Amino acid sequence: MSAAEPTAPQLELLGEGRVALCGHWSHRDLTRSIATLRRALARLPRDTHWDLTSIGRMDSFGALVIWRAWGRTWPPHVALSPVVREALDRVAAARGESLPPQPRPRMTAALVLVGEGAFRLGRHATDFVALLGRIALDVMALAGQPGHWPLREITANLYKVGVQAMPVAALVGFLIGVVLSYLSALQLQTFGADVFIVNILGLGIIRELGPVLVSVLVAGRSGSAMTAQIGVMRVTEEIDALRVMGVSPYVRLVLPKVVALTLAMPMLVLWTSAVALLGGMVTADLQLNLGYGFFIQTLPRVVPPSNLLLALVKGLIFGLLIALVACHFGLRVKPNTESLAAKTTASVVSAITLVILVDAVLAIVTRRVGVPY
Amino acid sequence: MNAPVVDMRGIGTCFGRRWVHRDLNLQVTAGEMLALVGGSGSGKTTLLRQMVGLLTPTQGQVRLFGQSLTGGNRIERRLLRQRFGMLFQHGALFSAFSVFDNIAFPLREAGVASPEEIRDLVALKLAMVEIDLADARHMPAELSGGMVKRVALARALALEPELLILDEPTAGLDPDRSEGFVTLVRDLHRQLGLTVVLVTHDLDTLAALATQVAVLADQRILAHGPVEAIMALDHPFVEHFFRGERGQRALAANAPGAQ
């Protein structure tokens, strides 16, 4: 067809109840004028004489627009070209089929939702215990064969979750130390209790803030990565491939992550707490003229060493929890992108919540440990 | 004379320091079913991706329907993109959408059809690719490989494009399914007057579908013509691809031009 031929779909009223349609009636050509044409078609009475012979190209959409205007039946008077008839026939043949209706929400739906939620929680709990049992069994099986420990994977994970997390942990720790020290200094100055800043920072950071801060950071950084990695391996059937080869995915994927994070977390806690105290010390010096020497000398006197041990144990427990939760959710990913996103989010949120819950319990249990009266 | 549907001129593609294509020319005229064949690593899929604008060639220009994919204003480019559809090798269905929503997506994006019309059009497209309407609420993860391909084809055809691009349409399908798919594409080609460009490794698919074959080797289109003419060519790749035992069997079973 040449460029001169009119391509815009048009509807011409020829008078005496006769109508001619011309131009291209395809989705693309109709884009501009669909509203006007729909209105014009709707105004025409049923016994119109239709002339469709000068329609150039027609696709299902064009045919559908006309067919619907006709009320889904052939009008009594119509002239068609073979191409147009074929397009209309295709649309006509598909008539009468309707999509299966979406299930309507019922009154009991809310109850069902609550019940399902409870069952899901129960399944999570049993699966989590099953995961623990699996790992325990695999570790027992490995105990007799020192050569089969996935040492390479463990060290690789240790580097990934430990060493590579150090810069960001240090940055966050330092800034938190600075902020905490600055705000405390402002309050303490008004009471003239400047020297107690060492007690506040020492106890607060070492005992509480360090472990929790690192846990939140690691859950967001490494926990999500673990869930996503195992999840993607589920999607691409890599886990099934491992199983078929007789390699336990728990030994090869879950165990190294759990061991690595459990080992790395106490060290990260130590590192972050140290940098946070450094930040606090620098600020205390600037704000209260408390010398570095005084700060370092006072710290071990006012903060009993048992606090440090408590922090390391906390790090150990939190690391174990984060890794287990991450692997648990990773193994539950279904093979689609939606599920991957949902499980990764759930993994991070659950890990952080669980860490804070456990921290609260530990705070109560250890309330008589390492706090000077 | 119409402008060729696909017009690639002087295409050069360079990955790092390796030239995949050099001064490559390819024209596809309306109504053709062109099969692009070539050894692995010869850049077939790269060429296909350049055709649809997913990759920009290092040199040369690509025109579809006489228009450049990068030229013109936004609306022109958008309308041009509605004139072709692509079937990806693994379907590339949106896994968060149901079958129905996958096919409805391009229609909704275009914003021309009303919701009831979209429903009818999706039903029509599903009927075209022979999928039961009852399956429309399923998610892509619940479908078999053959069904994914057919739903993806329905999505590629949602706006009834004039040019259909197929990347390995029958890879991963069993022979029976693959034959069914080939028949389906051929019927649609006839019904809708499509121009089809496909990349395939499967000689059965090629013999049954292609009216033209372009051989991609030595960084260019080595030959472009009807299947018989290509087979007569004297080149190690052609020799291996068509005249091996497997090739002879496939071509004998689907005598070219018989359809």
Side-chain angles (χ1 to χ4, degrees):
Chain A
M1 56 218 104
S2 68
E5 190 183 331
T7 58
Q10 269 164 5
L11 186 147
E12 286 172 30
L13 298 169
L14 304 173
E16 299 163 20
R18 284 149 50 79
V19 159
L21 306 184
C22 47
H24 291 331
W25 283 65
S26 72
H27 187 276
R28 198 177 66 254
D29 297 300
L30 283 165
T31 304
R32 284 176 220 276
S33 48
I34 184 70
T36 354
L37 285 172
R38 269 211 192 104
R39 255 179 279 127
L41 281 170
R43 271 201 300 271
L44 291 166
R46 262 201 64 74
D47 56 351
T48 308
H49 288 250
W50 298 84
D51 179 8
L52 273 58
T53 47
S54 35
I55 286 183
R57 191 174 52 228
M58 181 185 235
D59 67 1
S60 314
F61 178 67
L64 187 70
V65 168
I66 295 172
W67 186 249
R68 286 171 64 91
W70 287 347
R72 296 174 174 275
T73 47
W74 290 99
H77 317 287
V78 59
L80 301 162
S81 62
V83 190
V84 171
R85 172 169 278 281
E86 203 181 329
L88 281 165
D89 274 340
R90 251 184 289 138
V91 173
R95 137 193 75 152
E97 293 181 71
S98 64
L99 212 60
Q102 210 138 31
R104 282 174 179 281
R106 297 238 188 91
M107 287 294 279
T108 50
L111 201 64
V112 171
L113 217 64
V114 172
E116 271 177 357
F119 277 118
R120 204 162 39 234
L121 203 67
R123 271 201 304 277
H124 268 291
T126 47
D127 284 0
F128 194 75
V129 173
L131 178 70
L132 284 179
R134 270 278 176 194
I135 295 171
L137 283 178
D138 282 334
V139 168
M140 278 204 283
L142 279 177
Q145 316 157 282
H148 281 72
W149 274 87
L151 286 179
R152 200 195 283 269
E153 282 88 345
I154 292 176
T155 46
N157 273 297
L158 207 52
Y159 179 74
K160 244 192 307 192
V161 301
V163 179
Q164 288 188 338
M166 280 169 74
V168 67
L171 179 71
V172 171
F174 188 83
L175 290 178
I176 291 284
V178 167
V179 171
L180 201 66
S181 177
Y182 177 70
L183 288 177
S184 310
L186 287 182
Q187 297 298 312
L188 291 173
Q189 257 176 333
T190 57
F191 297 110
D194 296 13
V195 289
F196 285 107
I197 193 149
V198 186
N199 302 43
I200 292 178
L201 289 182
L203 217 58
I205 287 175
I206 292 176
R207 193 181 166 98
E208 201 55 45
L209 214 49
V212 172
L213 197 66
V214 176
S215 296
V216 171
L217 212 65
V218 165
R221 186 189 174 278
S222 308
S224 61
M226 286 175 182
T227 307
Q229 194 206 347
I230 295 181
V232 169
M233 289 180 82
R234 287 263 308 165
V235 174
T236 54
E237 296 183 314
E238 286 171 62
I239 299 218
D240 296 336
L242 273 179
R243 277 214 184 97
V244 168
M245 289 177 212
V247 178
S248 162
Y250 296 95
V251 171
R252 224 20 104 81
L253 292 173
V254 177
L255 190 65
K257 291 182 170 55
V258 173
V259 171
L261 200 58
T262 311
L263 291 178
M265 269 292 280
M267 296 191 264
L268 271 179
V269 167
L270 204 63
W271 163 252
T272 310
S273 299
V275 178
L277 282 175
L278 180 75
M281 188 168 74
V282 170
T283 312
D285 184 50
L286 293 174
Q287 195 72 21
L288 304 171
N289 277 324
L290 232 53
Y292 293 161
F294 173 77
F295 196 101
I296 291 169
Q297 271 182 354
T298 321
L299 192 63
R301 271 199 286 111
V302 296
V303 183
S306 52
N307 282 298
L308 195 60
L309 192 69
L310 184 64
L312 294 180
V313 171
K314 272 188 182 177
L316 208 76
I317 295 172
F318 294 167
L320 184 72
L321 278 177
I322 292 170
L324 283 174
V325 167
C327 293
H328 169 73
F329 279 101
L331 289 168
R332 294 175 79 86
V333 170
K334 289 186 192 69
N336 62 64
T337 49
E338 190 89 325
S339 167
L340 185 63
K343 293 292 182 251
T344 310
T345 311
S347 158
V348 174
V349 173
S350 311
I352 293 176
T353 313
L354 204 61
V355 160
I356 291 177
L357 262 172
V358 171
D359 186 60
V361 172
L362 282 177
I364 296 168
V365 172
T366 62
R367 65 187 181 280
R368 293 192 199 289
V369 179
V371 187
Y373 292 100
Chain B
M1 187 62 208
N2 289 336
V5 174
V6 179
D7 187 7
M8 304 180 88
R9 277 177 203 278
I11 299 295
T13 311
C14 190
F15 287 137
R17 257 193 234 144
R18 198 168 66 89
W19 285 90
V20 181
H21 309 128
R22 229 170 200 169
D23 198 26
L24 178 151
N25 294 299
L26 178 66
Q27 277 80 35
V28 185
T29 44
E32 239 176 52
M33 280 223 211
L34 175 81
L36 208 56
V37 298
S40 58
S42 61
K44 302 182 294 289
T45 301
T46 308
L47 202 64
L48 225 52
R49 292 174 80 86
Q50 288 169 348
M51 210 178 277
V52 296
L54 287 172
L55 284 174
T56 312
T58 319
Q59 296 170 350
Q61 58 168 339
V62 183
R63 288 179 163 275
L64 295 182
F65 306 100
Q67 255 177 286
S68 162
L69 272 169
T70 48
N73 58 33
R74 280 167 60 91
I75 296 166
E76 278 170 0
R77 279 206 299 269
R78 205 184 147 100
L79 286 178
L80 178 59
R81 285 192 173 273
Q82 293 183 4
R83 294 179 75 172
F84 61 88
M86 180 160 181
L87 173 69
F88 288 89
Q89 191 174 348
H90 301 289
L93 292 179
F94 304 126
S95 57
F97 285 175
S98 67
V99 166
F100 179 90
D101 291 329
N102 259 291
I103 302 172
F105 182 78
L107 291 162
R108 286 181 184 147
E109 282 296 295
V112 178
S114 68
E116 297 93 64
E117 284 166 353
I118 287 178
R119 213 185 50 224
D120 286 352
L121 283 172
V122 172
L124 194 68
K125 295 289 158 9
L126 282 172
M128 263 184 199
V129 297
E130 291 154 7
I131 284 184
D132 223 18
L133 210 56
D135 292 324
R137 290 263 176 248
H138 285 306
M139 300 304 281
E142 301 163 349
L143 303 177
S144 68
M147 277 177 76
V148 167
K149 284 262 161 122
R150 279 186 286 157
V151 173
L153 182 65
R155 187 180 70 179
L157 291 173
L159 291 172
E160 305 210 356
E162 295 149 72
L163 170 65
L164 182 63
I165 292 165
L166 311 171
D167 190 4
E168 298 277 3
T170 52
L173 299 186
D174 63 46
D176 192 31
R177 286 276 170 73
S178 123
E179 205 169 293
F181 195 81
V182 164
T183 316
L184 180 67
V185 172
R186 212 165 46 209
D187 286 351
L188 290 171
H189 173 251
R190 193 183 47 75
Q191 271 181 31
L192 307 174
L194 295 167
T195 308
V196 179
V197 176
L198 70 146
V199 159
T200 186
H201 274 115
D202 183 21
L203 267 170
D204 289 311
T205 309
L206 183 142
L209 273 183
T211 57
Q212 297 272 311
V213 177
V215 179
L216 189 60
D218 309 331
Q219 304 172 334
R220 62 198 173 91
I221 299 288
L222 193 74
H224 181 179
V227 184
E228 305 91 321
I230 297 295
M231 276 186 60
L233 231 86
D234 191 29
H235 185 273
F237 171 75
V238 176
E239 178 83 29
H240 184 73
F241 193 78
F242 289 100
R243 278 176 253 161
E245 200 184 320
R246 202 173 56 90
Q248 293 295 355
R249 228 177 18 231
L251 291 171
N254 299 275
Q259 285 94 23

